Amino acid sequence: MGWTNRLQAVREFLYGMLGYEFGRYARQAYSEREACLITLLFGDGLGVPLPRSYYALALLPFIVSHWGAWKHRLLRERDLVTDRHLDLHGI
Amino acid sequence: MSLKQVFEQNPDRRYIMFGGKGGLGKTTFSAATAFWLAQKGYRVLVFSVDPQASLTDIFQKDIFGKGAVPIIENLWAQEIDADSHIKAYQGEIRKKILDMYGFDAVPDEIEDYIQAASAEPAMEESAIFDAVVDIVVKGDYDYYIYDLVPLGHALYYLSMAKVYDEWINKITKLREEMREYETMVARIKREKETDEDKILTELQYIKGRINASSNILTNKDKTAFFFVVVPEEMIILDTQKAAELFAKFDVPIAGYVVNRVLPAELRTQEVPAYLKNRLAMQSGYIDKIKTLLGNQVLGYVPEMERDVTGLAMIEKLANIMYG
């Protein structure tokens, strides 16, 4: 095992110990806000009663690739017990 | 001060609006003012934001949805067709999606969403608002004459800029939060910085356009808003209420023009009782207008011998208003 590999291993170990939780929290916070943003913009597409905004349509091209995931996220069945966030989110 | 003096003393005021209740003469005054300015050699666009616009009728030329149509030298008239504006907008969105993703066709669900956009009544108003932003931001003319919609609705348009501004701020804030988390993830994973955010860029572009146009419209140095009134009690009361509301939206009210004043020479003539009563009523209300508005009244325009349609009548009215 060369030095670079060892350094890499240490780096990954440290990431797993410290960074992973932060990263997971940040990714989760990101996708929560993303779902919220798309819902605010295009929620009426799934029946959320929002007034349709003319300028929201200008943002539609940037949302196209997230549309499916967003719809899935918003419409999926939720189990209150398993959905509870029991971890500390790295805080 | 007369209307003419107001124009001559404020040469930087290039955005002119005539507002008032329905049927008082907003379109006729807009047309006459545009005609006068064009004859002075300015490039003038008179345009209507009313879906039931009457510029077509007054100029006796079908201009609806045809863009800026030349009327006489230096004068163009435009009636915004909300439907075709929406169609063009939808087309742009589709094209952008196809270009961005290299699709042959817009995905069904997205297409459904785009199509549903034209069915919404609020979209029509927003489309007109956006078309006006377009016209104003382009800046192709010396003078822009707005043939406005009746009062309540005009306020709605003016308030729309504020509503959109708040909407954009909210979306931008959310997007910026996302951005922070995105950079956080990238930093933890020691990835290179994330690309420029296209959504934020687009939001900034929209915000810039809306602000540019609403800044012009609420700027006292660039814009003049004239109220059209007629000497009748209800009109005077309603106009007063509207003026208070408009002031709240920072609309730069430049003065009032009184329309439909019965010709003074009638007073000295032998006229039937009906007309005599109308004359007495009008002079009462004109006195009231004088006490209420004083030197804010910039002109009294007589009731014409016939309705104002066609260039000959428009010219005649322009001569009365600005002669």
Side-chain angles (χ1 to χ4, degrees):
Chain A
M1 212 187 211
W3 275 110
T4 25
N5 279 347
R6 277 185 210 184
L7 198 64
Q8 181 65 22
V10 169
R11 203 176 263 164
E12 269 169 27
F13 174 74
L14 283 175
Y15 170 72
M17 198 171 82
L18 305 164
Y20 175 73
E21 262 294 278
F22 281 112
R24 197 162 86 100
Y25 168 69
R27 274 198 297 276
Q28 202 167 333
Y30 176 88
S31 54
E32 269 167 18
R33 274 156 190 79
E34 182 178 68
C36 185
L37 179 84
I38 304 181
T39 307
L40 267 179
L41 291 172
F42 306 109
D44 57 323
L46 294 185
V48 182
L50 289 168
R52 192 179 291 254
S53 168
Y54 183 83
Y55 289 108
L57 212 55
L59 302 176
L60 187 61
F62 310 108
I63 302 295
V64 167
S65 56
H66 305 281
W67 187 278
W70 163 69
K71 191 178 153 189
H72 186 77
R73 185 189 175 113
L74 217 69
L75 297 181
R76 76 162 186 246
E77 274 186 57
R78 283 191 174 78
D79 187 330
L80 284 176
V81 180
T82 52
D83 244 19
R84 287 219 88 105
H85 303 305
L86 296 171
D87 55 350
L88 295 172
H89 293 312
I91 296 172
Chain B
M1 211 190 290
S2 73
L3 258 181
K4 189 181 176 183
Q5 284 170 315
V6 169
F7 275 90
E8 283 169 353
Q9 287 173 18
N10 301 282
D12 292 333
R13 284 188 186 159
R14 294 303 172 95
Y15 302 88
I16 312 299
M17 292 180 248
F18 286 96
K21 279 174 74 95
L24 299 190
K26 293 184 296 294
T27 305
T28 30
F29 283 8
S30 300
T33 305
F35 187 92
W36 175 65
L37 288 166
Q39 284 208 318
K40 283 172 69 104
Y42 295 108
R43 289 167 56 84
V44 185
L45 177 71
V46 54
F47 65 98
S48 175
V49 297
D50 194 343
Q52 287 142 4
S54 36
L55 287 175
T56 284
D57 305 327
I58 198 162
F59 288 119
Q60 295 176 326
K61 191 168 190 173
D62 181 20
I63 58 170
F64 182 72
K66 293 192 163 64
V69 179
I71 303 291
I72 55 168
E73 200 190 348
N74 290 326
L75 174 61
W76 286 262
Q78 183 170 359
E79 274 178 359
I80 296 160
D81 173 7
D83 272 350
S84 67
H85 195 79
I86 292 176
K87 285 215 175 73
Y89 182 47
Q90 287 169 314
E92 273 169 45
I93 305 294
R94 281 192 196 99
K95 190 178 177 302
K96 202 162 183 179
I97 292 172
L98 298 182
D99 291 350
M100 271 177 74
Y101 299 94
F103 294 151
D104 295 325
V106 176
D108 286 347
E109 257 179 290
I110 305 289
E111 179 57 36
D112 287 348
Y113 188 86
I114 295 175
Q115 278 187 13
S118 54
E120 189 98 2
M123 287 297 273
E124 187 174 305
E125 278 151 2
S126 301
I128 292 173
F129 173 84
D130 189 65
V132 174
V133 172
D134 245 359
I135 291 171
V136 172
V137 171
K138 263 190 203 144
D140 292 337
Y141 301 90
D142 298 326
Y143 273 98
Y144 294 86
I145 319 284
Y146 290 58
D147 176 24
L148 277 180
V149 284
L151 287 177
H153 224 70
L155 260 188
Y156 177 74
Y157 279 114
L158 291 164
S159 62
M160 223 185 249
K162 280 196 177 162
V163 172
Y164 269 127
D165 202 52
E166 271 162 37
W167 178 82
I168 289 173
N169 286 343
K170 207 170 276 173
I171 303 288
T172 306
K173 190 169 163 264
L174 204 52
R175 189 65 190 172
E176 276 165 355
E177 271 178 46
M178 284 173 68
R179 192 77 177 149
E180 275 169 38
Y181 287 113
E182 202 180 12
T183 9
M184 211 187 277
V185 174
R187 211 170 289 151
I188 291 166
K189 292 170 96 183
R190 292 174 170 277
E191 279 168 354
K192 63 173 172 62
E193 283 291 305
T194 38
D195 304 331
E196 165 211 40
D197 191 319
K198 294 214 174 69
I199 292 187
L200 279 179
T201 315
E202 184 74 31
L203 283 168
Q204 291 311 317
Y205 169 72
I206 299 169
K207 193 183 163 79
R209 262 165 54 94
I210 292 174
N211 285 351
S213 95
S214 69
N215 284 345
I216 289 171
L217 301 187
T218 51
N219 183 339
K220 268 194 169 47
D221 302 324
K222 290 182 176 170
T223 303
F225 185 98
F226 300 101
F227 266 114
V228 183
V229 289
V230 300
E232 278 176 31
E233 184 162 32
M234 263 172 63
I235 310 290
I236 299 171
L237 291 174
D238 283 353
T239 308
Q240 268 185 300
K241 274 184 224 149
E244 284 166 25
L245 274 171
F246 273 52
K248 277 192 196 145
F249 281 97
D250 304 322
V251 178
I253 299 167
Y256 297 78
V257 187
V258 185
N259 196 13
R260 304 259 162 81
V261 180
L262 293 172
E265 61 264 25
L266 283 179
R267 284 170 216 282
T268 55
Q269 291 166 14
E270 199 55 46
V271 292
Y274 170 80
L275 207 50
K276 210 171 239 168
N277 289 338
R278 298 288 302 184
L279 280 164
M281 177 202 81
Q282 272 211 347
S283 64
Y285 288 131
I286 287 175
D287 288 344
K288 195 172 175 185
I289 289 174
K290 279 181 181 151
T291 21
L292 283 172
L293 305 169
N295 55 7
Q296 294 182 78
V297 180
L298 303 173
Y300 294 88
V301 179
E303 177 93 84
M304 308 286 271
E305 72 277 13
R306 54 152 286 200
D307 52 351
V308 180
T309 49
L311 285 172
M313 276 310 277
I314 292 172
E315 183 170 15
K316 192 168 179 187
L317 181 66
N319 287 336
I320 291 170
M321 287 175 78
Y322 298 97

